[in-house]
Amino acid sequence: MSFSSNVKSELLHCFVKDTHCIAAEVSAIINLCGQITEKENKICIKIQTENTSVARKCFTLITKNFNIDSRVVIKCGRKNRKINSFAVSVGEKSSGVDMERFLEKCCFYRGNDGKYNLNHIDEKLFYDSCCRKAYIRGAFLSAGSVNDPGKTYHMEFVVSDKDYCTELMNVINSFGIEAKSIIRKEHYVIYIKDGEQIADMLNIMGAHV
């Protein structure tokens, strides 16, 4: 496994008991991997990832802490694309009211257009610094990577929305980190190049080993 995979493997086994921190970690995964659909007063969330362990952790966090129906669906890769994708389907058997309560706990609210904005981090999500740490952990599992420090110092988060990029970078930098951002093709990349700050980030997320 790569160094980045080893870090994610450690974070996948990092479970906290505080409900606010759990909501923050789930919120990050939904921000980066989720889609919300509404039809006939039913709200459904689909969280898609190529990492089966991320799908399982998300499934576990939601079912054990929010009493919301969810299931994991495996989508087989095409012939020229061997990588399978894993979708956590949330809310198919839950009421619209229960799903709205769940989304509110994760600090997703309807905008003026009546739709949920997945490209925004609401400050109400963070009761304490531990919630911000949990959020960064969820973001890294969803969209992060880190190089082997024996080769080069580089950690990054790849996101698709400019405003969300700024908000996530502010959460990261609230711990004294000096993360910066660049545009790479059609994505926004938050990156850290300093070795000590990458080590700090690993500890912030819970990857102490």
Side-chain angles (χ1 to χ4, degrees), residues 18 35 43 48 56-57 78 108 114 119 121 178-179 183 190-191:
D18 186 276
Q35 289 182 325
I43 301 174
Q48 192 156 317
R56 287 173 182 164
K57 182 173 188 181
R78 301 171 184 172
F108 292 110
N119 292 317
I121 305 173
E178 297 179 2
I183 299 174
I190 300 167
Y191 67 92

Side-chain angles (χ1 to χ4, degrees), residues 187-199:
H187 291 85
Y188 298 88
V189 180
I190 300 167
Y191 67 92
I192 304 163
K193 289 284 191 181
D194 181 81
E196 289 187 7
Q197 293 201 345
I198 291 173

Side-chain angles (χ1 to χ4, degrees), residues 37-152:
T37 59
E38 294 187 66
K39 187 177 181 181
E40 297 177 354
N41 297 322
K42 291 284 292 183
I43 301 174
C44 292
I45 305 171
K46 184 169 286 185
I47 300 162
Q48 192 156 317
T49 174
E50 292 182 351
N51 189 323
T52 179
S53 296
V54 172
R56 287 173 182 164
K57 182 173 188 181
C58 186
F59 169 83
T60 301
L61 289 173
I62 292 172
T63 54
K64 286 192 174 182
N65 296 285
F66 298 99
N67 194 30
I68 291 290
D69 159 72
S70 62
R71 62 191 179 96
V72 177
V73 179
I74 300 174
K75 295 185 177 180
C76 296
R78 301 171 184 172
K79 290 182 180 180
N80 61 346
R81 189 172 180 269
K82 296 181 180 180
I83 299 175
N84 292 337
S85 66
F86 305 87
V88 181
S89 183
V90 184
E92 289 184 356
K93 296 181 181 179
S94 300
S95 70
V97 173
D98 286 342
M99 286 299 292
E100 286 184 346
R101 288 173 180 166
F102 165 67
L103 286 166
E104 285 181 2
K105 287 178 180 178
C106 295
C107 290
F108 292 110
Y109 306 99
R110 294 185 188 275
N112 294 330
D113 59 358
K115 296 180 180 180
Y116 290 97
N117 181 8
L118 295 184
N119 292 317
H120 172 63
I121 305 173
D122 196 295
E123 287 295 323
K124 297 186 188 74
L125 192 64
F126 305 132
Y127 283 77
D128 208 337
S129 62
C130 56
C131 301
R132 285 182 281 128
K133 292 178 181 180
Y135 189 92
I136 295 171
R137 179 169 57 249
F140 184 82
L141 287 171
S142 303
S145 64
V146 59
N147 287 2
D148 186 332
K151 297 178 180 178
T152 182

Side-chain angles (χ1 to χ4, degrees), residues 160-192:
S160 59
D161 184 81
K162 181 180 179 180
D163 292 336
Y164 178 80
C165 174
T166 300
E167 292 180 1
L168 176 57
M169 188 165 63
N170 288 340
V171 176
I172 292 169
N173 289 345
S174 68
F175 289 98
I177 305 298
E178 297 179 2
K180 299 178 181 179
S181 66
I182 57 170
I183 299 174
R184 183 190 297 158
K185 296 181 179 179
E186 296 180 356
H187 291 85
Y188 298 88
V189 180
I190 300 167
Y191 67 92
I192 304 163

